[in-house]
Amino acid sequence: MKNTFEKMGGTYILGADGIYYPNLVSTDEEPHYGKYGMMRKTYLKEHRPAMYSLYMLEDRLTEHLNAVDDEAQERMKILVCQMMERQGITEEMKAHDQMEWVRAVNGIRNMAEEIVLKELIYR
């Protein structure tokens, strides 16, 4: 008679000590998420524990965090480029007044990050 693990497609491996061990292989993809994925994970743990538990139970947490991080990185690139273009931040400005250029770009990055956090991380 098969147990629940075997009914779900699980298999066992005979160990060197003569004991059968479950063959547990994660179907989860490798984590490659960075800053935004970690922020999303912390947010889910602290503010959406049911959603966090569901992702864990379905073995989809890493997949979700990778996707969120990739999307956030891409959105940051797009927003920064669009804002720099609209505000007229150019390479000429960088060559002429480097400190002003750094100030302007840092402000743009901060604004873009606030948008990304609101749209993707804290939802």
Side-chain angles (χ1 to χ4, degrees):
M1 176 172 211
K2 289 187 175 184
N3 62 24
T4 306
F5 181 68
E6 291 173 318
K7 287 178 186 174
M8 292 176 62
T11 59
Y12 292 93
I13 296 175
L14 180 61
D17 55 2
I19 298 174
Y20 283 95
Y21 294 97
N23 187 13
L24 301 176
V25 178
S26 177
T27 57
D28 210 9
E29 62 183 76
E30 285 294 315
H32 68 265
Y33 57 87
K35 172 183 176 180
Y36 298 110
M38 288 186 277
M39 290 172 81
R40 177 69 175 166
K41 184 177 182 179
T42 301
Y43 173 75
L44 289 174
K45 272 185 179 178
E46 294 176 2
H47 300 284
R48 300 276 194 263
M51 187 182 292
Y52 178 80
S53 296
L54 181 65
Y55 280 130
M56 289 292 288
L57 287 172
E58 293 178 349
D59 203 22
R60 296 184 317 147
L61 182 64
T62 303
E63 176 186 341
H64 172 72
L65 297 176
N66 286 341
V68 167
D69 190 75
D70 292 343
E71 190 175 348
Q73 294 286 349
E74 185 63 32
R75 186 83 171 115
M76 276 293 292
K77 286 179 192 173
I78 291 169
L79 285 172
V80 167
C81 287
Q82 288 176 347
M83 289 178 177
M84 285 178 70
E85 188 176 303
R86 284 195 182 132
Q87 292 184 20
I89 310 299
T90 62
E91 289 297 317
E92 291 174 8
M93 180 183 179
K94 183 178 180 180
H96 178 68
D97 188 357
Q98 210 171 33
M99 291 306 290
E100 179 63 23
W101 182 86
V102 169
R103 184 199 60 76
V105 171
N106 283 342
I108 287 171
R109 283 194 185 120
N110 289 336
M111 287 185 284
E113 187 166 65
E114 285 297 320
I115 292 168
V116 167
L117 293 177
K118 184 164 176 56
E119 287 181 351
L120 300 172
I121 308 302
Y122 304 133
R123 58 175 170 89

